[in-house]
């Protein structure tokens, strides 16, 4: 049975053969790379700081410039893919990303590394919308497309979770440049195989290119993303509020311009479709929940429990495996039951995960079980919501629709760290009771973050005092985790309510 939003072209759509599934395998290469890149750099930053000696501002920009550029250009690159060819954009993006990554690996200064990261954001924005929108054209049969998108979503989640493991392994055996060089062996096979197995697709009636829309989209996204990051680090400062205001104004101008154009860069009528908008919001909140969870669990495992980055990554492998499995196993379930039932039911597992963390943050086994439950919920919900995003948009606009979905991913990742991480940091500072006798410079560093407290504790000669500082910092951090976990649970509940009220009530049993 069809949902009302499905394009009529999907009725009796041909099924993809073996070349389609081989193309899917090829397209997973950039997905894994970009998602690993989102989390791996943070592990290399200490070595980069020792080698290049960046200033505090440069160190922030090494991390921040990539997601800023990426988020700002996703919609533009998705639309350009619709116009000029999605495979063409994928190949250009892969070539540029590999070349710039290789150069960044040998950057002699922090400024050149920042420039390299910015260019990686430009080419990375070409990769992700292209992969998802190409699935729309390769797998026209909806049953097959559900499976393909489940694999895509699983690869994206797997890459994010593999980041700590990959980063830990590379940094234990090689220099920091290895986290950039890994792009080359991943993307070279893509450049060789994609022209043979991935068919080109584009919008047959793209309309004219509108440079003003590109500028307005950048002016909207960059201030908002940067404002979120400033809010997380510095709180509600006048600069953060000004950035939000600027993004809102340019966003309003962008929407107004799109509505006035005969062929807009982004068709705003897509957002009037409840299924499309609802699935985007579910994506956003789900990624906030996933990234926020990883943010504090990774710190607890490494700084409180004392695991190495690689071992901490392995502790999360059960959750990763279940995330992938649930994304695939939800496909036959989604054929039998309505999305408004399947997605909230899946997200209920993630709510239980957050509640479990709130009840006990000190138990390692409980944390592993909690991440497994979170993975079950997020994996299933992301598969269904991404498939709905693509199915509710016209095939010719698959690139733009995919770009909106990717933008939700990026904003979710930023917000997961900024909102949940910011709340956790605030509670940490409020709950921290430092032991008497600490020198003031050490006390100041300990008040900033758990990592700061653990780092300065190793400089204290009095072992008893050092252990007291670590215990106080761990207690304050875990107290903040309790509140943060309850807020995370509330966000997932909101996502479930949105899914139940917007994602339609008919089953997607088949498109035939």
């Amino acid at each position: 049975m069809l949902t009302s939003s499905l394009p009529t072209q999907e009725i009796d759509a041909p099924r993809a053969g073996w070349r389609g599934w081989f193309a899917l395998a090829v397209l997973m290469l950039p997905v894994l790379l970009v998602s690993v890149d989102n989390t791996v750099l943070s592990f290399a930053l200490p070595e980069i700081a020792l080698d290049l000696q960046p200033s505090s501002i440069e160190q922030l920009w090494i991390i921040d410039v990539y997601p800023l550029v990426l988020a700002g250009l996703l919609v533009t690159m998705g639309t350009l893919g619709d116009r000029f060819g999605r495979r063409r954009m994928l190949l250009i993006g892969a070539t540029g990303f590999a070349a710039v990554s290789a150069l960044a690996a040998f950057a002699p200064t922090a400024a050149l590394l920042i420039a390299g990261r910015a260019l990686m954001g430009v080419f990375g924005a070409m990769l992700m919308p292209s992969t998802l929108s190409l699935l729309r054209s390769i797998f026209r049969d909806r049953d097959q497309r559900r499976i393909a998108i489940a694999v895509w979503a699983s690869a994206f989640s797997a890459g994010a979770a593999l980041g700590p493991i990959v980063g830990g392994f590379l940094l234990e055996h090689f220099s920091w440049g290895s986290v950039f060089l890994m792009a080359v062996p991943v993307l070279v096979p893509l450049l060789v195989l994609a022209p043979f197995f991935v068919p080109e697709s584009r919008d047959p009636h793209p309309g004219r290119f509108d440079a003003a829309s590109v500028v307005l989209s950048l002016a909207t996204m960059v201030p908002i993303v940067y404002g979120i990051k400033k809010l997380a680090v510095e709180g509600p400062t006048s600069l953060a509020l000004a950035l939000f205001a600027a993004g809102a104004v340019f966003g309003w101008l962008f929407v107004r311009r799109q509505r006035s154009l005969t062929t807009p860069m982004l068709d705003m009528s897509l957002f009037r479709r409840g299924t499309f908008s609802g699935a985007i919001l579910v994506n956003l909140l789900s990624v906030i929940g996933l990234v926020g969870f990883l943010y504090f669990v990774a710190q607890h495992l490494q700084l409180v429990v004392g695991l190495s980055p690689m071992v901490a990554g392995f502790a999360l492998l059960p959750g990763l495996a279940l995330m992938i499995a649930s994304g695939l196993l939800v496909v036959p379930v989604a054929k039998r039951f309505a999305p408004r039932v399947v997605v909230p039911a899946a997200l209920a597992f993630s709510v239980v995960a957050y509640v479990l963390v709130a009840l006990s943050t000190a138990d390692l086994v409980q944390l592993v079980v909690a991440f497994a439950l979170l993975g079950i919920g997020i994996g299933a919900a992301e598969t269904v919501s991404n498939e709905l995003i693509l199915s509710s948009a016209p095939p010719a606009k698959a690139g733009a629709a995919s770009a909106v979905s990717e933008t939700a991913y990026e904003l979710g990742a930023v917000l997961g760290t900024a909102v949940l991480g910011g709340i956790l940091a605030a509670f940490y500072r409020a709950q921290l009771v430092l032991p008497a006798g600490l020198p003031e410079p050490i006390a100041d560093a300990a008040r900033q973050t758990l990592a700061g407290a653990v780092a300065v504790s190793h400089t204290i000669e009095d072992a008893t005092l050092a252990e007291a500082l670590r215990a106080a910092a761990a207690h304050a951090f875990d107290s903040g985790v309790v509140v943060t976990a309850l807020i995370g649970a509330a966000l997932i509940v909101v996502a479930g309510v949105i899914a139940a009220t917007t994602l339609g009530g008919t089953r997607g049993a088949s498109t035939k």
Side-chain angles (χ1 to χ4, degrees), residues 362-400:
D363 191 321
L364 175 60
V365 174
Q366 201 159 323
L367 284 176
V368 173
V369 171
F371 184 63
L373 291 171
L374 184 84
I376 291 172
I378 299 298
E382 287 295 311
T383 292
V384 176
S385 61
N386 275 298
E387 196 279 329
L388 287 172
I389 290 168
L390 281 188
S391 294
S392 59
K397 301 299 180 185

Side-chain angles (χ1 to χ4, degrees), residues 261-329:
L261 295 173
T262 305
T263 53
M265 186 175 90
L266 180 61
D267 186 358
M268 303 309 297
S269 66
L270 287 173
F271 294 94
R272 292 199 293 269
R273 305 182 183 195
T275 299
F276 183 85
S277 296
I280 291 292
L281 289 173
V282 169
N283 262 6
L284 176 69
L285 293 171
S286 297
V287 175
I288 291 174
L290 174 62
V291 173
F293 191 99
L294 286 171
Y295 177 79
F296 60 70
V297 168
Q299 290 188 71
H300 179 90
L301 292 177
Q302 294 178 60
L303 300 174
V304 178
V305 179
L307 303 180
S308 69
M310 190 161 63
V311 174
F314 278 117
L316 300 178
L317 275 181
L320 167 63
L322 285 172
M323 190 181 301
I324 295 171
S326 67
L328 295 170
L329 293 175

Side-chain angles (χ1 to χ4, degrees), residues 80-81 134 232 260 370 460:
L80 289 176
L134 281 166
S260 68
I460 301 174

Side-chain angles (χ1 to χ4, degrees), residues 207-298:
R208 69 182 184 87
F209 178 75
D210 184 52
S213 293
V214 174
V215 173
L216 288 173
S217 67
L218 273 169
T220 299
M221 292 306 305
V222 170
I224 290 175
V225 174
Y226 192 49
I228 293 170
K229 287 181 171 290
K230 297 295 286 185
L231 185 67
V233 176
E234 302 173 7
T237 62
S238 56
L239 175 58
L241 297 176
L243 288 166
F244 287 130
V249 170
F250 285 115
W252 176 76
L253 292 172
F254 175 79
V255 172
R256 183 178 177 183
R257 182 164 184 82
Q258 301 316 295
R259 288 176 173 172
S260 68
L261 295 173
T262 305
T263 53
M265 186 175 90
L266 180 61
D267 186 358
M268 303 309 297
S269 66
L270 287 173
F271 294 94
R272 292 199 293 269
R273 305 182 183 195
T275 299
F276 183 85
S277 296
I280 291 292
L281 289 173
V282 169
N283 262 6
L284 176 69
L285 293 171
S286 297
V287 175
I288 291 174
L290 174 62
V291 173
F293 191 99
L294 286 171
Y295 177 79
F296 60 70
V297 168

